[in-house]
Amino acid sequence: MRTGRLIGAGRTADVYEAGAGWVLRRDRQGVGDAVAEGAVMEHVRAHGYPVPRVRPPGPEAPETDPCRDLVMERLSGPTMLRACLDGALTPQDAGAMLARLLRLLHQVPPYRSTGPGVRVLHLDLHPDNVILTADGPRVIDWSNAEEGAPGLDWGTSAVILAQVAAVGGPMAEPAGVMLAALLADPSALTPDGLAEALRRRAANPTMGPQEVAALPAAEELIRSRLG
């Protein structure tokens, strides 16, 4: 697909302009499934969850790769992370918002499974994956989404924040405050969810050595917040 100006880049994907009101998110590694990701986004959106709209590329884009390319609504607003850095959102409010978004997501019925307690999981919900628009927060980057127990989703978000807090640097203290707010009652974090989240983060190929080394300290921090 012919792409417009590059407007954003993450660990594994780039975002390009794709016409008025739309962007194209392209996976650099080509290991994802943009069709499946778009289907999950449309499923949760149909149940009232705040995500960007998704559309097919259309006939004007014959070279689109369904594994790599996802065309979605262009959102206007800062990420939750940027809002915290700019002082427009407190870390405590950010953590509470993440908790609300997790609780809201886990009210959405699964789209495939029918087992008890199974829900749609985002599995990468953190402050850089929430866009604060004029209409409220919108959750992006559903490439890790799957179905399962909500405790894993809570564990994943907690571990991500705790890693930042454990590594140190300018975001360490705000990340710790976000973590405390995330895990305030009613948190659905479970021992199994935390253990699996730690295992997955340790095996994640996008993790740097310092981030992996911080996992034991991150686990200790999470357990301390749980009392």
Side-chain angles (χ1 to χ4, degrees):
M1 176 178 181
R2 181 180 299 172
T3 59
R5 180 173 61 93
L6 178 68
I7 57 175
R11 291 192 188 214
T12 62
D14 299 311
V15 180
Y16 299 89
E17 292 178 333
W22 300 93
V23 296
L24 179 137
R25 203 276 325 276
R26 173 163 288 166
D27 180 1
R28 287 189 225 100
Q29 300 173 338
V31 296
D33 185 343
V35 172
E37 183 178 352
V40 173
M41 293 172 68
E42 285 297 280
H43 171 77
V44 299
R45 193 173 74 85
H47 286 84
Y49 196 75
V51 298
R53 290 176 294 147
V54 174
R55 72 165 175 83
E60 76 283 358
E63 297 179 7
T64 300
D65 183 341
C67 292
R68 300 179 62 202
D69 297 334
L70 182 66
V71 180
M72 69 186 87
E73 177 186 5
R74 183 168 186 171
L75 303 177
S76 178
T79 65
M80 179 187 288
L81 176 59
R82 174 46 56 190
C84 286
L85 291 172
D86 291 344
L89 184 70
T90 69
Q92 183 172 1
D93 286 344
M97 186 184 297
L98 288 174
R100 288 195 298 272
L101 288 168
L102 283 170
R103 286 193 289 269
L104 181 61
L105 176 60
H106 300 151
Q107 294 174 16
V108 175
Y111 51 96
R112 285 195 304 255
S113 303
T114 57
V118 173
R119 289 293 184 266
V120 179
L121 311 181
H122 184 277
L123 297 181
D124 199 21
L125 186 57
H126 57 75
D128 223 17
N129 278 340
V130 179
I131 307 295
L132 303 181
T133 74
D135 297 322
R138 302 279 190 96
V139 178
I140 61 171
D141 196 352
W142 291 77
S143 57
N144 291 340
E146 59 182 67
E147 294 180 339
L152 175 57
D153 225 0
W154 284 86
T156 301
S157 292
V159 170
I160 291 171
L161 292 175
Q163 279 180 287
V164 176
V167 166
M171 281 302 297
E173 184 176 352
V177 174
M178 288 183 207
L179 177 65
L182 174 76
L183 297 179
D185 187 64
S187 164
L189 180 60
T190 62
D192 286 347
L194 176 57
E196 179 63 9
L198 288 163
R199 186 194 69 78
R200 292 190 183 200
R201 291 292 284 179
N204 189 328
T206 70
M207 292 291 96
Q210 188 179 25
E211 291 171 303
V212 174
L215 284 171
E219 179 180 6
E220 183 177 349
L221 181 59
I222 292 168
R223 293 191 184 281
S224 74
R225 292 292 191 271
L226 293 173

